[in-house]
């Protein structure tokens, strides 16, 4: 999928202050060449600021940003090997679509005709063939975004920066554009750095994701690791849904961590299931809704099971979400079940058994 | 909107609704409401703008009987004016002077508007705008007269320079010439030019300027390729707002020009009052208006690409 694994962007202990406000607090990370990398976090976490330090729109207070091995200090935005797709798309309203796409080609030594062909090719790549003569201000949101993409990609940057590019689009077009962006990235092999607050979008599109809170990277990992082994409750809560049960760390034996979990009893887990710190004392375990299964009459759990009562049922067509209160717990856990033909949806108040597996647990402090 | 549409809007044209009293239908008509809303202003404009214009236009086709006006149709006034070398000379001067004033005003107003829009903290912008309007706190006449005090033979500039020992006797080229007229008018019309340019600059999405740099252009080239074209509607408005009134300015040539550099408005005054030939004065006024209109329309036509719909 990637053309090269060498480091394309490197942040070395990057700090950024706005007056007294500490926007970036010692960011250190590497983004690989040809990678689809996402900066994910709630608004105000510094993800856009970090992206803008790559583009050169934001000076950093200390630390270093390197692109392709080159120090970016004192390199202005117009001299950097990066191009950006802005959140508002920033399409020049006084220019036509073709003039927008060709904006960055002014000093390109190619002939006028060759440039016009390059513009037409770029428009074709983003699915806007034949739109060149249109006025930019007459385009729809999705089309504007395609123009912004073509305008950036025509310059063949080493890094394409995308600042919440899909947030202004409605759901259908957004999902379509996600797939198109992934395909496009594989096709051109350019490093993409995406800023988003939408965890689903980040999971769908990225090779790796940096989750940011308050100017720091909380976790940097591939989507599956982030989802299955979040290193803190905060990351777990930000990405998808997770059930938390209080527990006590009772000991460590034979490389395993022993827990006493409310509602589940004695459990032993692998150290890999505790990405955070894990000495004794109170803690909590997390479980994704799809790692829990409701057992129907006569079904046997492969592993372990816990009894409980159905408290809430939310029917989604292909899925049903159950909130089940396990015996001995004061709150319910959410369970997602794929609906299978011939299997009834349970009613509220039904007593049931829930199958779970120790391997799906994550331990948090 | 025509009345036909209103009836359809007013109800789904079923029996009872169609039979509704005329008054009720009128009250629900958007068009009628719209006319009612603008009617006070429209009336005011009609009385104070259209009526004098119509009078002027009518007079210009009448004959002059000394101290009276003979309401008989004639084209004499136009023939006389168009073949009058004084009119041609003064019209040329007027166009030249107000062209210079426009150039000077817009060129100096642009940096101020730019600074105000791009470099003044948003919280301070209102204060800056307030300061820019300070010249308007005194009447136009007084401002013009003050320039005379500043530039005059024994004025502020001359006595200052003499005090400093830089000159022996007062400089005479400061006052009573085209330069001093341009200086005075530029100062007077500066806010009129600053404000529309400022508004146009404020409307520019700052992300567009970042996009310009992101696409490889320096700040200067981004200004040239993005900021300036997007500010052009404001610049065009400023040009017209300055050019149109200054061409007919009467006070400044009279006071600052000392009557030695009359412009077309002074000619109209001379024809109307000094010669008491109102039809001839009216013809001069109508021709001047036509020339200004033609020049303005030509200017707009030349710049039409900047005025196409944006956003």
């Amino acid at each position: 999928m990637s053309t090269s694994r060498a480091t394309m962007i490197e942040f070395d202990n990057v700090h950024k202050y706005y007056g007294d406000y500490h926007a970036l607090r010692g960011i250190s990370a590497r983004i690989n060449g040809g990678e689809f990398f996402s900066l994910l976090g709630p608004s105000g976490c510094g993800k856009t600021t970090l992206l803008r330090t790559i583009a050169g729109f934001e000076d950093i207070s200390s630390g270093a940003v390197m692109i392709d091995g080159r120090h970016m200090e004192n390199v202005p935005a117009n001299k950097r090997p990066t191009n950006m797709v802005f959140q508002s798309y920033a399409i020049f309203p006084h220019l036509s679509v073709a003039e927008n796409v060709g904006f960055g080609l002014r000093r390109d030594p190619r002939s006028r005709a060759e440039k016009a062909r390059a513009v037409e090719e770029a428009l074709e790549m983003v699915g806007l063939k034949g739109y060149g003569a249109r006025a930019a201000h007459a385009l729809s949101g999705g089309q504007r975004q395609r123009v912004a993409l073509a305008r950036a990609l025509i310059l063949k940057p080493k890094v394409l920066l995308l600042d919440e590019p899909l947030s202004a689009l409605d759901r259908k077009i957004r999902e379509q554009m996600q797939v198109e962006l992934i395909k496009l990235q594989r096709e051109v092999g350019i490093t993409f750095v995406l800023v988003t607050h939408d965890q689903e979008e980040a999971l769908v599109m990225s090779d790796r994701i940096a989750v940011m809170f308050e100017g720091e990277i909380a976790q940097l990992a591939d989507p599956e690791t982030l989802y299955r082994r979040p290193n803190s409750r905060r990351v777990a809560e930000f990405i998808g849904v997770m059930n938390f049960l209080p527990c006590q760390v009772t000991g460590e034996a034979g490389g395993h961590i022993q827990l006493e979990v409310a509602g589940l009893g004695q459990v032993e887990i692998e150290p890999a299931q505790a990405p955070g710190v894990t000495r004794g004392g109170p803690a909590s375990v997390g479980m994704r809704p799809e790692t829990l299964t409701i057992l129907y009459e006569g079904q046997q759990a492969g592993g372990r099971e816990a009894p409980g009562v159905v408290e809430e049922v939310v029917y989604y067509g292909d899925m049903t979400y159950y909130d089940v209160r396990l015996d001995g717990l004061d709150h319910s856990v959410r369970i997602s079940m794929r609906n299978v033909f011939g299997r009834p949806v349970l009613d509220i108040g039904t007593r049931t058994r829930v199958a779970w597996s120790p391997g799906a647990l994550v331990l948090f402090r | 909107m025509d009345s036909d549409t209103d009836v359809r809007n007013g109800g789904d044209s079923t029996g009872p609704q169609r039979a509704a009293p005329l008054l009720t239908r009128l009250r629900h008509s958007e068009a009628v409401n719209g006319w009612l809303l603008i009617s006070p202003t429209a009336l005011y404009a009609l009385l104070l703008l259209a009526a004098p214009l119509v009078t002027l236009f009518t007079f210009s086709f009448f004959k002059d009987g000394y101290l009276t006006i003979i309401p008989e149709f004639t084209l004499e006034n136009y023939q006389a004016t168009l073949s009058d070398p004084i009119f041609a000379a003064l019209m040329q001067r007027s166009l030249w002077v107000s062209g210079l004033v426009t150039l000077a005003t817009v060129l100096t107003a642009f940096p101020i508007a730019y600074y105000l829009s791009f470099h003044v903290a948003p919280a301070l912008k209102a204060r800056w705008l307030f300061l820019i309007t300070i010249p308007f706190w005194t009447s136009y006449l007084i401002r013009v007269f003050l320039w005379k005090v500043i530039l005059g033979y024994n004025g502020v500039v001359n006595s200052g320079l003499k005090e400093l020992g830089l000159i022996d006797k007062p400089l005479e080229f400061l006052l009573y010439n085209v330069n001093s007229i341009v200086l005075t008018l530029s100062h007077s019309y500066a806010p009129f030019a600053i404000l529309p340019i400022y508004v146009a600059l404020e409307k520019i999405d700052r992300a567009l300027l970042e996009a310009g740099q992101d696409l490889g252009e320096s700040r200067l080239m981004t200004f040239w390729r993005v900021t300036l074209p997007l500010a052009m509607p404001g610049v065009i408005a400023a040009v017209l707002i300055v050019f149109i009134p200054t061409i007919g300015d009467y006070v400044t040539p009279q006071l600052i020009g000392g009557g030695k550099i009359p412009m077309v408005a002074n000619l109209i005054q001379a024809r109307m009052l000094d010669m008491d030939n109102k039809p001839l004065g009216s013809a001069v006024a109508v021709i001047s208006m036509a020339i200004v209109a033609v020049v303005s329309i030509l200017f707009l036509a030349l710049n039409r690409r900047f005025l196409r719909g944006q956003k």
Side-chain angles (χ1 to χ4, degrees):
Chain A
M1 160 180 337
S2 53
T3 50
S4 76
R5 274 288 158 212
T7 301
M8 177 55 79
I9 299 170
E10 186 175 351
F11 300 107
D12 183 14
N13 199 22
V14 172
H15 285 269
K16 169 76 186 174
Y17 290 88
Y18 292 105
D20 288 338
Y21 180 64
H22 201 170
L24 297 176
R25 303 169 182 235
I27 302 283
S28 290
R30 285 160 187 262
I31 299 173
N32 299 324
E35 184 171 42
F36 201 128
F37 192 92
S38 291
L39 298 168
L40 173 66
S43 59
C45 73
K47 57 189 191 298
T48 298
T49 307
L50 191 60
L51 189 82
R52 290 168 59 83
T53 65
I54 306 174
F57 297 133
E58 238 33 275
D59 293 327
I60 54 176
S61 307
S62 69
V65 178
M66 319 260 280
I67 301 177
D68 204 18
R70 237 181 101 207
H71 223 286
M72 283 295 129
E73 201 183 356
N74 301 326
V75 180
N78 57 328
K79 300 265 192 270
R80 296 196 181 192
T82 59
N83 283 111
M84 184 134 153
V85 174
F86 290 81
Q87 186 169 16
S88 62
Y89 310 140
I91 300 299
F92 302 117
H94 58 301
L95 301 178
S96 71
V97 169
E99 285 168 330
N100 262 283
V101 174
F103 189 92
L105 295 178
R106 185 176 60 88
R107 274 178 304 191
D108 191 305
R110 284 180 285 178
S111 74
R112 193 177 278 261
E114 282 174 310
K115 286 190 208 179
R117 205 173 313 127
V119 167
E120 196 48 45
E121 277 167 18
L123 281 172
E124 200 175 336
M125 182 171 65
V126 296
L128 285 181
K129 190 167 192 254
Y131 277 68
R134 298 224 188 161
H137 58 85
L139 298 178
S140 72
Q143 289 168 337
R144 276 164 190 249
Q145 178 179 49
R146 287 159 195 269
V147 173
L149 264 173
R151 186 176 72 177
L153 288 174
I154 197 172
L155 301 176
K156 302 201 163 45
K158 287 181 178 158
V159 181
L160 184 74
L161 306 169
L162 302 119
D163 184 8
E164 307 238 9
L166 306 175
S167 60
L169 304 177
D170 57 45
R171 194 187 169 89
K172 269 259 165 63
I173 300 175
R174 190 164 68 226
E175 284 170 359
Q176 186 190 338
M177 281 307 294
Q178 285 176 0
V179 178
E180 282 189 37
L181 271 177
I182 300 168
K183 279 190 189 158
L184 198 63
Q185 195 263 341
R186 283 181 196 156
E187 208 176 290
V188 296
I190 291 171
T191 308
F192 277 34
V193 183
L194 172 83
V195 158
T196 182
H197 63 266
D198 182 340
Q199 44 99 10
E200 199 181 296
E201 189 171 294
L203 290 178
V204 168
M205 299 173 77
S206 322
D207 294 322
R208 289 196 304 153
I209 299 167
V211 181
M212 292 181 68
F213 296 118
E214 274 115 39
E216 285 174 305
I217 294 180
Q219 189 171 8
L220 196 168
D222 60 277
E224 201 184 342
T225 307
L226 266 187
Y227 188 78
R228 292 184 52 192
R229 299 267 188 265
N231 65 1
S232 65
R233 258 186 92 139
R234 200 159 180 205
V235 172
E237 281 173 321
F238 192 74
I239 294 176
V241 178
M242 196 166 237
N243 297 301
F244 296 100
L245 301 177
C247 73
Q248 287 280 334
V249 179
T250 52
E252 287 181 45
H256 289 74
I257 303 167
Q258 290 159 341
L259 309 172
E260 173 71 35
V261 183
L264 302 180
Q266 292 277 347
V267 190
E268 257 190 18
I269 60 167
E270 305 278 332
Q273 288 168 257
V277 201
T278 57
R279 293 279 158 240
S284 60
V285 291
M287 290 175 298
R288 295 289 184 193
E290 67 278 8
T291 65
L292 299 169
T293 314
I294 286 191
L295 294 173
Y296 283 79
E297 296 271 325
Q299 277 185 309
Q300 290 299 314
R304 303 178 61 170
E305 56 177 81
V309 179
V310 175
E311 285 201 327
E312 189 64 72
V313 179
V314 184
Y315 180 74
Y316 270 93
D318 59 335
M319 305 283 291
T320 304
Y321 287 101
Y322 294 100
D323 286 347
V324 175
R325 177 132 73 154
L326 299 180
D327 294 353
L329 271 184
D330 56 358
H331 64 275
S332 56
V333 293
R334 170 146 296 194
I335 301 170
S336 67
M337 293 284 287
R338 185 152 291 285
N339 289 329
V340 178
F341 179 73
R343 192 164 72 190
V345 173
L346 296 180
D347 292 324
I348 293 173
T350 313
R351 268 205 78 78
T352 184
R353 293 168 298 137
V354 175
W356 59 279
S357 127
L361 299 187
V362 190
L363 179 65
F364 302 110
R365 290 305 290 181
Chain B
M1 188 182 282
D2 57 41
S3 59
D4 192 38
T5 323
D6 297 332
V7 175
R8 272 192 271 115
N9 285 348
D12 275 328
S13 62
T14 40
Q17 257 151 337
R18 195 181 289 181
L22 180 71
L23 212 64
T24 321
R25 260 197 294 161
L26 279 180
R27 208 181 304 144
H28 290 292
S29 151
E30 272 183 44
V32 169
N33 282 335
W35 282 111
L36 280 174
L37 264 178
I38 63 160
S39 60
T41 344
L43 206 69
Y44 185 83
L46 204 68
L47 281 178
L48 293 171
L49 266 168
L53 271 178
V54 170
T55 312
L56 200 73
F57 196 69
T58 316
F59 274 15
S60 70
F61 291 104
F62 285 167
K63 280 184 181 160
D64 179 54
Y66 187 65
L67 295 178
T68 58
I69 294 160
I70 305 162
E72 273 174 43
F73 180 82
T74 175
L75 289 172
E76 266 171 32
N77 301 311
Y78 285 94
Q79 282 160 357
T81 306
L82 289 173
S83 59
D84 180 0
I86 297 177
F87 171 76
L90 293 196
M91 195 67 226
Q92 261 177 30
R93 177 190 284 155
S94 293
L95 285 167
W96 170 242
V97 168
S98 70
L100 281 179
V101 170
T102 307
L103 196 71
T105 310
V106 172
L107 284 184
T108 49
F110 198 97
I112 297 171
Y114 186 88
Y115 181 81
L116 184 55
S117 180
F118 285 89
H119 296 290
V120 172
L124 295 176
K125 281 181 179 173
R127 204 171 304 169
W128 271 74
L129 285 173
F130 176 76
L131 290 174
I132 283 169
T133 60
I134 280 184
F136 289 138
W137 292 10
T138 53
S139 93
Y140 175 53
L141 194 64
I142 291 173
R143 267 180 290 146
V144 172
F145 200 78
L146 282 174
W147 274 106
K148 203 168 168 173
V149 172
I150 293 169
L151 301 172
Y153 190 78
N154 289 314
V156 177
V157 174
N158 274 331
S159 48
L161 289 173
K162 229 157 78 173
E163 233 16 73
L164 290 168
L166 292 171
I167 52 173
D168 298 329
K169 59 184 177 90
L171 302 171
E172 289 184 24
F173 64 84
L174 292 178
L175 203 55
Y176 306 134
N177 56 34
V178 169
N179 295 340
S180 53
I181 293 179
V182 171
L183 186 66
T184 306
L185 284 174
S186 303
H187 171 252
S188 290
Y189 281 90
F192 289 117
I194 294 170
L195 293 177
I197 298 172
Y198 167 73
V199 169
L201 290 171
E202 280 290 284
K203 270 173 44 185
I204 298 175
D205 180 1
R206 300 312 193 241
L208 294 175
L209 310 183
E210 288 187 341
Q213 286 175 52
D214 189 65
L215 294 166
E217 294 293 15
S218 61
R219 280 170 189 276
L220 191 69
M221 277 310 292
T222 302
F223 172 83
W224 185 249
R225 294 185 67 191
V226 181
T227 314
L228 193 58
L230 289 174
M232 276 313 280
V235 172
I236 290 163
V239 165
L240 293 178
I241 289 173
V242 176
F243 179 78
I244 293 174
T246 50
I247 207 165
D249 193 89
Y250 170 78
V251 176
T252 302
Q254 196 68 20
L255 288 177
I256 300 294
K260 293 176 192 167
I261 305 149
M263 286 173 34
V264 81
N266 308 89
L267 180 71
I268 296 170
Q269 187 264 351
R271 295 281 182 270
M272 289 265 198
L273 302 177
D274 295 351
M275 285 170 60
D276 201 43
N277 189 337
K278 290 199 173 63
L280 190 58
S282 299
V284 176
V286 171
I287 293 170
S288 306
M289 249 189 299
I291 290 171
V292 172
V294 167
V295 171
S296 302
I297 288 165
L298 269 176
F299 178 75
L300 281 177
L302 284 174
N303 289 292
R304 66 185 179 283
R305 69 197 174 94
F306 295 115
L307 299 171
R308 279 180 315 203
Q310 287 168 8
K311 281 178 192 164

